[in-house]
Amino acid sequence: DVKVTQSSRYLVKRTGEKVFLECVQDMDHENMFWYRQDPGLGLRLIYFSYDVKMKEKGDIPEGYSVSREKKERFSLILESASTNQTSMYLCASSFLGALGYGYTFGSGTRLTVV
Amino acid sequence: EDKVVQSPLSLVVHEGDTVTLNCSYEVTNFRSLLWYKQEKKAPTFLFMLTSSGIEKKSGRLSSILDNKELFSILNITATQTGDSAVYLCAVSPRNQGGKLIFGQGTELSVKP
């Protein structure tokens, strides 16, 4: 069964900490995405990548960075966590050229910044 | 600015009812519209629509796209408690690296 695995289901961090959210896929997909999900706002794209070492800003990249050193792994980095980054973070992957049906999502990481 | 809007944002019905969820969009270079179901975990794919007027059906769920009026509906007939979830609508634009633009989601609660 194809999988996108996010390293933590729940995470609590302190304001100002550097936070790493890890995502690994086993489908050899080119595209990988990070979204955050908030009530009433839906999913908003933070960053995406369509190849190793490539990254593109999404709609809300401020306060975040990403790393894609290997095809299967896409990391989201909060350089200095703030309380307004408390959210559900969803990683997804798809093959290049997918119309959208090829998306596979991870189970999400619920991050609380205190 | 590309935008996807879902309505209603939440809905409570009883088992056996029929529900209609709405999704409207304003997207440059539309390619496809997708519906996902999310139950406390990863969203799972329901339908992808690319052509106007062609209904997609899976069991009690069906969906149709109107790409002239720029909306889609998701129908669920004879609802069951297992249909309780957040339903997400998303649009995939052309030439944007495969990203999806999501609506706010509709939270459906089906009471016994």
Side-chain angles (χ1 to χ4, degrees):
Chain A
D1 198 15
V2 295
K3 260 194 181 163
V4 175
T5 303
Q6 293 185 231
S7 53
S8 304
R9 194 68 208 269
Y10 298 94
L11 214 49
V12 179
K13 295 292 182 180
R14 293 196 179 278
T15 301
E17 274 193 77
K18 190 168 186 174
V19 181
F20 293 86
L21 302 184
E22 306 287 346
C23 175
V24 178
Q25 51 100 358
D26 65 1
M27 296 161 285
D28 203 33
H29 281 169
E30 292 84 2
N31 295 342
M32 295 189 76
F33 306 84
W34 275 107
Y35 289 86
R36 66 176 279 178
Q37 185 174 23
D38 301 288
L41 296 176
L43 275 73
R44 292 178 292 164
L45 182 64
I46 306 171
Y47 267 97
F48 65 105
S49 166
Y50 45 85
D51 201 354
V52 176
K53 297 195 190 293
M54 301 292 290
K55 60 184 179 186
E56 292 279 344
K57 289 181 181 178
D59 300 315
I60 51 163
E62 297 78 19
Y64 304 94
S65 62
V66 290
S67 171
R68 192 157 180 210
E69 296 295 319
K70 293 185 177 180
K71 191 176 186 180
E72 67 270 18
R73 186 180 296 268
F74 191 36
S75 303
L76 180 70
I77 303 154
L78 286 66
E79 297 290 342
S80 177
S82 64
T83 54
N84 63 13
Q85 292 177 310
T86 291
S87 187
M88 169 69 89
Y89 290 87
L90 285 167
C91 175
S93 73
S94 72
F95 59 87
L96 195 64
L99 298 180
Y101 66 87
Y103 261 52
T104 302
F105 284 90
S107 295
T109 296
R110 186 165 291 283
L111 173 68
T112 303
V113 182
V114 298
Chain B
E1 185 188 330
D2 294 340
K3 193 165 62 171
V4 177
V5 177
Q6 291 184 246
S7 65
L9 296 184
S10 66
L11 192 54
V12 180
V13 300
H14 287 95
E15 274 192 313
D17 288 350
T18 293
V19 298
T20 298
L21 309 184
N22 303 292
C23 176
S24 63
Y25 61 93
E26 293 174 30
V27 173
T28 308
N29 264 330
F30 172 87
R31 178 167 61 176
S32 61
L33 184 144
L34 300 102
W35 285 96
Y36 291 88
K37 178 182 182 182
Q38 186 180 25
E39 300 170 89
K40 304 288 183 196
K41 50 184 182 188
T44 54
F45 171 78
L46 293 174
F47 297 111
M48 183 184 74
L49 303 151
T50 55
S51 301
S52 192
I54 297 174
E55 186 182 49
K56 293 280 182 95
K57 211 167 160 55
S58 176
R60 296 176 293 103
L61 277 66
S62 63
S63 184
I64 196 160
L65 174 73
D66 183 330
N67 63 12
K68 195 171 177 184
E69 299 298 326
L70 307 184
F71 75 90
S72 174
I73 60 172
L74 175 69
N75 276 323
I76 309 174
T77 59
T79 51
Q80 301 170 358
T81 54
D83 295 325
S84 295
V86 175
Y87 290 85
L88 300 168
C89 172
V91 171
S92 175
R94 290 183 193 280
N95 305 321
Q96 291 198 38
K99 75 176 192 181
L100 296 180
I101 302 165
F102 284 85
Q104 315 96 306
T106 293
E107 184 171 12
L108 174 65
S109 178
V110 181
K111 303 292 186 191

